């Protein structure tokens, strides 16, 4: 069994690399960022604010998140497109700073990795969720490059978005993720740093798979 942990800031290409590497290696991909987006989406749909501890506790107790055949299910409903918006990105950042939220989702993530080989990406995989992972990477890129990638992605989906607004949101999210009190984003001491500003997605995947094949 092999566990590959990939961390890094929003828009750095973590999910793209993790998904492609998992497919090439024939193991499961666990998108932990999507789990936080899904929970942020549910909080918004139910009008639950992060400061409402009792309401949040009840919501968490009644929440199920799962991955099947590349789709993310929230309480039995596929929410792939509903959670892939800049608004849900910010919602994910807000709810991921809550200790009660992280405790529940980390427990789910560790259970998945305890049963099978996985590629898991997020912001605290190598430091908190899978500190004993066989391979760890910290994937990053400049804020401008990440904003441009996200801008092109959303425009291709027909969304009316502003590059400047996306860049501002990325900078704000970076600040939130790196300064939060609960498990802030940071590179694990034993993680390999991959700056993808000048790298292609294929180059990143090749590096991960080459390293993994040496251990399988």
């Amino acid at each position: 069994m092999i566990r590959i942990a990939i961390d890094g800031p929003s828009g750095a290409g973590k999910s793209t690399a993790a998904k492609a590497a998992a497919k090439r290696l024939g193991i499961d991909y666990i998108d932990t960022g999507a789990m936080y987006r899904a929970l942020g989406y549910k909080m918004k749909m139910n009008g639950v604010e992060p400061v409402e501890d009792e309401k949040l506790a009840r919501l968490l107790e009644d929440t199920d998140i799962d991955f099947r055949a590349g789709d993310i299910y929230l309480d039995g409903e596929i929410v792939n497109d509903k959670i892939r918006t800049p608004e849900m990105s910010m919602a994910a950042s807000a709810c991921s700073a809550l200790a009660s939220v992280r405790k529940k989702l980390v427990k789910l993530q560790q259970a998945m990795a305890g049963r099978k080989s996985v590629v898991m990406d997020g912001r605290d995989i190598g430091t908190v969720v899978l500190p004993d992972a066989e391979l760890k990477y910290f994937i990053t890129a400049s804020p401008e490059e990440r904003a441009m990638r996200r801008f092109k992605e959303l425009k291709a989906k027909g969304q009316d978005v502003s590059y400047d607004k996306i860049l501002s949101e990325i900078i704000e999210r970076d600040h939130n993720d790196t300064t939060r009190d609960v498990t802030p984003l940071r590179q694990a001491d034993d993680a390999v740093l991959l700056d993808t500003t000048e790298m292609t997605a294929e180059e990143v995947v090749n590096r991960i798979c080459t390293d993994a094949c040496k251990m399988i």
Side-chain angles (χ1 to χ4, degrees), residues 115-130:
R115 297 191 301 266
K116 56 191 176 182
S117 292
V118 298
V119 179
M120 190 176 293
D121 77 297
R123 284 169 178 72
D124 61 354
I125 309 305
T127 55
V128 176
V129 182
L130 301 178

Side-chain angles (χ1 to χ4, degrees), residues 35-212:
M35 295 174 73
Y36 287 100
R37 285 172 177 262
L39 192 53
Y41 170 77
K42 183 172 182 177
M43 288 171 65
K44 278 198 169 293
M45 292 302 98
N46 286 272
V48 176
E49 296 295 332
V51 295
E52 297 177 304
D53 294 340
E54 291 185 9
K55 286 185 179 180
L56 180 58
R58 289 196 296 270
L59 182 140
L60 288 174
E61 186 177 347
D62 214 21
T63 295
D64 179 62
I65 300 174
D66 195 12
F67 291 90
R68 297 198 297 272
D71 294 317
I72 180 167
Y73 287 77
L74 172 64
D75 300 330
E77 176 191 357
I78 297 176
V79 293
N80 297 352
D81 294 334
K82 293 178 180 178
I83 65 174
R84 298 297 180 184
T85 67
E87 183 183 13
M88 288 305 106
S89 177
M90 298 305 292
S93 183
C95 76
S96 67
L98 304 174
S100 59
V101 169
R102 301 198 75 81
K103 183 177 180 181
K104 179 180 177 70
L105 295 193
V106 166
K107 185 176 181 180
L108 290 175
Q109 293 155 11
Q110 290 175 332
M112 293 177 196
R115 297 191 301 266
K116 56 191 176 182
S117 292
V118 298
V119 179
M120 190 176 293
D121 77 297
R123 284 169 178 72
D124 61 354
I125 309 305
T127 55
V128 176
V129 182
L130 301 178
D132 58 346
E134 285 76 17
L135 289 174
K136 297 181 185 180
Y137 300 91
F138 190 87
I139 296 180
T140 189
S142 70
E144 293 77 13
E145 175 64 19
R146 289 185 279 135
M148 182 55 67
R149 292 174 185 173
R150 184 63 55 84
F151 175 76
K152 290 179 178 178
E153 175 188 354
L154 295 175
K155 289 291 284 186
K157 293 180 178 179
Q159 296 188 28
D160 184 15
V161 291
S162 160
Y163 167 80
D164 289 337
K165 183 178 180 181
I166 293 173
L167 177 59
S168 175
E169 289 174 344
I170 281 179
I171 292 172
E172 180 182 354
R173 181 159 190 184
D174 285 352
H175 175 76
N176 292 342
D177 289 344
T178 57
T179 60
R180 67 186 180 216
D181 293 331
V182 182
T183 59
L185 169 67
R186 69 176 181 83
Q187 180 180 341
D189 294 337
D190 54 348
V192 175
L193 175 65
L194 295 178
D195 187 329
T196 69
T197 303
E198 301 295 336
M199 293 178 71
T200 66
E202 184 71 12
E203 288 172 334
V204 177
V205 175
N206 286 342
R207 171 61 190 274
I208 294 171
C209 290
T210 297
D211 291 345

